[in-house]
Amino acid sequence: MSDMDSLFLRIIERELPADIVRENERVIAIRDINPQAPTHVLVVPKKRYRNAAELAAADPELLAELITVAREIAAQEGIEESGYRLLFNTNEDAGQTIFHVHLHLLGGEPLGGLTGGPLKS
């Protein structure tokens, strides 16, 4: 399977600790251990797909659920009105380092443009 047998699968199975923000039968959301903004939450499907393109092709409803959960967390975190960013890194050149698709929810401060350097995941 690689990717450390998917870091996220190990978190889902409670083999590794994580700060879980939200969880349901299909999705888990955790705080990023290396946050790039005051609010940085990773929204992860429990079923492993390599990247956002693979997820979109296989299960568009699950892709939509990730975005819905992210919006709900943005409201819970108090950043829905001020603004937030949703980001998928897809493959190596985009900075994806864990090949289990995950959506970054970033906010809590002005985020600026997208070219401020690499965002690793």
Side-chain angles (χ1 to χ4, degrees):
M1 179 178 298
S2 77
D3 298 322
M4 301 176 286
D5 289 323
S6 178
L7 177 67
F8 296 133
L9 290 177
R10 293 178 68 200
I11 289 169
I12 291 163
E13 294 298 324
R14 304 304 197 265
E15 294 174 12
L16 293 174
D19 184 356
I20 299 171
V21 176
R22 173 85 50 97
E23 184 173 17
N24 65 33
E25 64 185 36
R26 293 178 14 121
V27 174
I28 189 168
I30 59 174
R31 294 203 188 278
D32 194 296
I33 60 170
N34 184 26
Q36 306 293 308
T39 297
H40 190 168
V41 175
L42 306 176
V43 184
V44 184
K46 290 183 175 179
K47 183 173 180 183
R48 186 176 186 193
Y49 295 94
R50 179 174 172 78
N51 58 42
E54 186 177 290
L55 172 59
D59 193 342
E61 290 175 2
L62 181 55
L63 175 61
E65 185 173 350
L66 295 182
I67 294 168
T68 298
V69 169
R71 181 194 52 80
E72 292 168 353
I73 294 168
Q76 170 187 315
E77 297 282 316
I79 62 171
E80 185 176 30
E81 294 301 317
S82 62
Y84 57 93
R85 179 172 294 157
L86 300 178
L87 174 71
F88 287 105
N89 292 319
T90 300
N91 295 328
E92 294 87 358
D93 282 356
Q96 185 178 9
T97 57
I98 299 173
F99 294 90
H100 180 141
V101 66
H102 52 287
L103 175 61
H104 294 259
L105 164 63
L106 300 135
E109 68 183 9
L111 296 173
L114 293 176
T115 60
L119 178 66
K120 300 295 182 181
S121 63

